Each structure stands twice: as C-alpha cells, then as structure tokens.
Short mmCIF file of all heavy atoms in Angstrom, two decimals:
data_model
loop_
_atom_site.label_atom_id
_atom_site.label_comp_id
_atom_site.label_asym_id
_atom_site.label_seq_id
_atom_site.Cartn_x
_atom_site.Cartn_y
_atom_site.Cartn_z
N VAL A 79 80.03 68.06 129.62
CA VAL A 79 79.74 67.21 128.45
C VAL A 79 80.96 67.16 127.54
O VAL A 79 81.38 66.10 127.08
CB VAL A 79 78.52 67.74 127.68
CG1 VAL A 79 78.23 66.83 126.49
CG2 VAL A 79 77.31 67.83 128.59
N ILE A 80 81.54 68.33 127.28
CA ILE A 80 82.73 68.42 126.42
C ILE A 80 83.87 67.60 127.04
O ILE A 80 84.55 66.82 126.36
CB ILE A 80 83.17 69.88 126.23
CG1 ILE A 80 82.04 70.69 125.60
CG2 ILE A 80 84.43 69.96 125.37
CD1 ILE A 80 82.31 72.19 125.57
N GLY A 81 84.07 67.77 128.35
CA GLY A 81 85.15 67.06 129.03
C GLY A 81 84.98 65.55 128.98
O GLY A 81 85.94 64.81 128.76
N SER A 82 83.74 65.08 129.15
CA SER A 82 83.51 63.63 129.12
C SER A 82 83.72 63.05 127.74
O SER A 82 84.17 61.91 127.60
CB SER A 82 82.09 63.32 129.62
OG SER A 82 81.11 63.85 128.74
N LEU A 83 83.40 63.83 126.70
CA LEU A 83 83.62 63.36 125.33
C LEU A 83 85.11 63.34 124.99
O LEU A 83 85.60 62.47 124.28
CB LEU A 83 82.87 64.24 124.34
CG LEU A 83 81.33 64.14 124.39
CD1 LEU A 83 80.69 65.19 123.50
CD2 LEU A 83 80.87 62.74 123.98
N LEU A 84 85.85 64.33 125.51
CA LEU A 84 87.30 64.37 125.29
C LEU A 84 88.02 63.29 126.09
O LEU A 84 89.11 62.84 125.70
CB LEU A 84 87.85 65.74 125.71
CG LEU A 84 87.46 66.95 124.85
CD1 LEU A 84 87.98 68.23 125.50
CD2 LEU A 84 88.02 66.80 123.44
N TYR A 85 87.42 62.88 127.19
CA TYR A 85 88.08 61.97 128.12
C TYR A 85 88.58 60.69 127.45
O TYR A 85 89.71 60.26 127.67
CB TYR A 85 87.15 61.63 129.28
CG TYR A 85 87.60 60.43 130.07
CD1 TYR A 85 88.70 60.50 130.91
CD2 TYR A 85 86.94 59.20 129.94
CE1 TYR A 85 89.13 59.40 131.63
CE2 TYR A 85 87.36 58.10 130.66
CZ TYR A 85 88.47 58.19 131.50
OH TYR A 85 88.89 57.10 132.19
N GLN A 86 87.72 60.06 126.64
CA GLN A 86 88.09 58.77 126.07
C GLN A 86 89.38 58.87 125.26
O GLN A 86 90.24 57.99 125.32
CB GLN A 86 86.96 58.23 125.20
CG GLN A 86 85.74 57.83 126.02
CD GLN A 86 84.72 57.06 125.19
OE1 GLN A 86 85.02 56.56 124.12
NE2 GLN A 86 83.50 56.96 125.70
N ARG A 87 89.53 59.93 124.48
CA ARG A 87 90.75 60.09 123.69
C ARG A 87 91.93 60.48 124.58
O ARG A 87 93.05 60.00 124.38
CB ARG A 87 90.52 61.14 122.59
CG ARG A 87 91.74 61.33 121.68
CD ARG A 87 91.35 62.03 120.40
NE ARG A 87 90.48 61.18 119.59
CZ ARG A 87 90.92 60.25 118.75
NH1 ARG A 87 92.21 60.02 118.64
NH2 ARG A 87 90.08 59.54 118.05
N ILE A 88 91.69 61.37 125.55
CA ILE A 88 92.78 61.81 126.42
C ILE A 88 93.35 60.65 127.22
O ILE A 88 94.57 60.48 127.32
CB ILE A 88 92.28 62.94 127.36
CG1 ILE A 88 92.01 64.21 126.56
CG2 ILE A 88 93.30 63.20 128.47
CD1 ILE A 88 91.37 65.31 127.37
N VAL A 89 92.47 59.83 127.81
CA VAL A 89 92.95 58.73 128.64
C VAL A 89 93.64 57.67 127.78
O VAL A 89 94.57 56.98 128.24
CB VAL A 89 91.80 58.12 129.47
CG1 VAL A 89 90.88 57.27 128.61
CG2 VAL A 89 92.36 57.29 130.63
N ALA A 90 93.22 57.54 126.52
CA ALA A 90 93.88 56.59 125.62
C ALA A 90 95.29 57.06 125.25
O ALA A 90 96.20 56.24 125.09
CB ALA A 90 93.04 56.40 124.35
N ILE A 91 95.46 58.36 125.13
CA ILE A 91 96.78 58.92 124.74
C ILE A 91 97.70 59.08 125.95
O ILE A 91 98.87 58.68 125.91
CB ILE A 91 96.59 60.27 124.04
CG1 ILE A 91 95.82 60.08 122.72
CG2 ILE A 91 97.94 60.93 123.77
CD1 ILE A 91 95.44 61.38 122.05
N LEU A 92 97.18 59.67 127.03
CA LEU A 92 98.02 59.97 128.19
C LEU A 92 98.09 58.83 129.21
O LEU A 92 99.05 58.74 129.98
CB LEU A 92 97.49 61.22 128.90
CG LEU A 92 97.49 62.54 128.12
CD1 LEU A 92 96.96 63.66 128.99
CD2 LEU A 92 98.89 62.86 127.61
N GLY A 93 97.06 57.99 129.21
CA GLY A 93 96.98 56.98 130.26
C GLY A 93 96.22 57.53 131.46
O GLY A 93 96.04 58.74 131.60
N SER A 94 95.79 56.66 132.34
CA SER A 94 94.94 57.07 133.46
C SER A 94 95.66 57.98 134.44
O SER A 94 95.08 58.96 134.95
CB SER A 94 94.40 55.84 134.18
OG SER A 94 95.46 54.97 134.57
N ARG A 95 96.94 57.72 134.72
CA ARG A 95 97.66 58.51 135.72
C ARG A 95 97.89 59.95 135.27
O ARG A 95 97.65 60.90 136.03
CB ARG A 95 98.98 57.83 136.07
CG ARG A 95 98.79 56.55 136.88
CD ARG A 95 100.10 55.88 137.24
NE ARG A 95 99.87 54.78 138.17
CZ ARG A 95 100.81 53.96 138.61
NH1 ARG A 95 102.07 54.11 138.18
NH2 ARG A 95 100.52 53.00 139.45
N LEU A 96 98.35 60.12 134.04
CA LEU A 96 98.60 61.49 133.54
C LEU A 96 97.28 62.23 133.31
O LEU A 96 97.24 63.46 133.39
CB LEU A 96 99.42 61.45 132.27
CG LEU A 96 100.89 61.05 132.43
CD1 LEU A 96 101.61 61.08 131.09
CD2 LEU A 96 101.59 61.98 133.43
N THR A 97 96.21 61.50 133.04
CA THR A 97 94.90 62.14 132.91
C THR A 97 94.46 62.72 134.24
O THR A 97 93.95 63.84 134.32
CB THR A 97 93.85 61.13 132.40
OG1 THR A 97 94.24 60.65 131.12
CG2 THR A 97 92.48 61.78 132.30
N PHE A 98 94.67 61.96 135.31
CA PHE A 98 94.37 62.46 136.66
C PHE A 98 95.22 63.70 136.95
O PHE A 98 94.71 64.73 137.41
CB PHE A 98 94.66 61.37 137.69
CG PHE A 98 94.48 61.79 139.12
CD1 PHE A 98 93.24 61.68 139.74
CD2 PHE A 98 95.54 62.31 139.86
CE1 PHE A 98 93.07 62.08 141.07
CE2 PHE A 98 95.38 62.71 141.17
CZ PHE A 98 94.14 62.59 141.78
N LEU A 99 96.51 63.60 136.70
CA LEU A 99 97.42 64.71 136.98
C LEU A 99 97.02 65.97 136.21
O LEU A 99 96.90 67.05 136.80
CB LEU A 99 98.85 64.30 136.59
CG LEU A 99 99.93 65.39 136.67
CD1 LEU A 99 100.12 65.86 138.10
CD2 LEU A 99 101.25 64.87 136.08
N SER A 100 96.78 65.85 134.92
CA SER A 100 96.47 67.02 134.10
C SER A 100 95.13 67.64 134.47
O SER A 100 94.98 68.87 134.47
CB SER A 100 96.49 66.65 132.61
OG SER A 100 95.55 65.63 132.33
N SER A 101 94.14 66.82 134.81
CA SER A 101 92.83 67.37 135.17
C SER A 101 92.88 68.12 136.49
O SER A 101 92.27 69.18 136.64
CB SER A 101 91.77 66.26 135.22
OG SER A 101 92.07 65.31 136.22
N MET A 102 93.65 67.60 137.47
CA MET A 102 93.78 68.28 138.74
C MET A 102 94.53 69.61 138.60
O MET A 102 94.16 70.63 139.19
CB MET A 102 94.49 67.39 139.76
CG MET A 102 93.70 66.17 140.23
SD MET A 102 92.22 66.58 141.21
CE MET A 102 90.95 66.38 139.95
N VAL A 103 95.59 69.60 137.79
CA VAL A 103 96.35 70.82 137.55
C VAL A 103 95.48 71.85 136.83
O VAL A 103 95.47 73.04 137.18
CB VAL A 103 97.62 70.52 136.73
CG1 VAL A 103 98.29 71.82 136.27
CG2 VAL A 103 98.60 69.70 137.56
N ALA A 104 94.73 71.41 135.84
CA ALA A 104 93.85 72.32 135.09
C ALA A 104 92.81 72.95 136.01
O ALA A 104 92.54 74.16 135.93
CB ALA A 104 93.18 71.58 133.94
N LEU A 105 92.22 72.15 136.90
CA LEU A 105 91.22 72.68 137.82
C LEU A 105 91.82 73.75 138.73
O LEU A 105 91.18 74.78 138.99
CB LEU A 105 90.63 71.55 138.66
CG LEU A 105 89.59 70.66 137.96
CD1 LEU A 105 89.33 69.40 138.77
CD2 LEU A 105 88.28 71.43 137.74
N GLY A 106 93.03 73.51 139.21
CA GLY A 106 93.68 74.49 140.08
C GLY A 106 93.97 75.79 139.37
O GLY A 106 93.68 76.88 139.88
N ILE A 107 94.52 75.70 138.16
CA ILE A 107 94.86 76.91 137.40
C ILE A 107 93.61 77.69 137.01
O ILE A 107 93.56 78.93 137.12
CB ILE A 107 95.68 76.53 136.15
CG1 ILE A 107 97.04 75.97 136.57
CG2 ILE A 107 95.86 77.73 135.23
CD1 ILE A 107 97.86 75.41 135.42
N LEU A 108 92.58 76.98 136.56
CA LEU A 108 91.33 77.65 136.15
C LEU A 108 90.64 78.30 137.34
O LEU A 108 90.02 79.36 137.21
CB LEU A 108 90.40 76.64 135.48
CG LEU A 108 90.83 76.16 134.09
CD1 LEU A 108 89.99 74.97 133.66
CD2 LEU A 108 90.70 77.30 133.08
N SER A 109 90.73 77.66 138.49
CA SER A 109 90.12 78.23 139.68
C SER A 109 90.81 79.53 140.07
O SER A 109 90.15 80.53 140.41
CB SER A 109 90.19 77.24 140.84
OG SER A 109 89.47 77.70 141.96
N ILE A 110 92.12 79.54 140.01
CA ILE A 110 92.87 80.78 140.29
C ILE A 110 92.49 81.87 139.30
O ILE A 110 92.25 83.02 139.66
CB ILE A 110 94.39 80.50 140.24
CG1 ILE A 110 94.80 79.57 141.39
CG2 ILE A 110 95.17 81.81 140.32
CD1 ILE A 110 96.23 79.07 141.29
N GLY A 111 92.40 81.49 138.02
CA GLY A 111 92.04 82.46 136.99
C GLY A 111 90.62 82.98 137.14
O GLY A 111 90.30 84.08 136.67
N SER A 112 89.76 82.20 137.82
CA SER A 112 88.36 82.60 137.98
C SER A 112 88.13 83.61 139.10
O SER A 112 86.99 84.00 139.36
CB SER A 112 87.50 81.36 138.24
OG SER A 112 87.55 80.46 137.16
#
C-alpha cells in the first residue's frame, strides 16, 4: 500500500525507466538483507 501511494510521485520525478531500475535494485538488496 505504501509503495503504491509513493509510486505516483516517484514515477513523476524519476520517470518510468528509472522507477523500474530502482525498484528492481531495491528488491534485490532487501532480499539479501532478509
């Protein structure tokens, strides 16, 4: 829920491509940390 609410502002600032890149990187790092 938090991520979907943040999405609209993130995609407006970073654009669709960098949003994809940052979300995939975040998932990888968080998974390793988990």
Side-chain angles (χ1 to χ4, degrees):
V79 181
I80 301 171
S82 65
L83 292 172
L84 291 174
Y85 164 72
Q86 291 190 16
R87 182 163 293 276
I88 291 173
V89 75
I91 296 173
L92 298 181
S94 54
R95 288 181 172 176
L96 289 181
T97 299
F98 176 88
L99 173 64
S100 59
S101 63
M102 291 293 101
V103 171
L105 283 166
I107 293 173
L108 289 168
S109 187
I110 293 171
S112 298

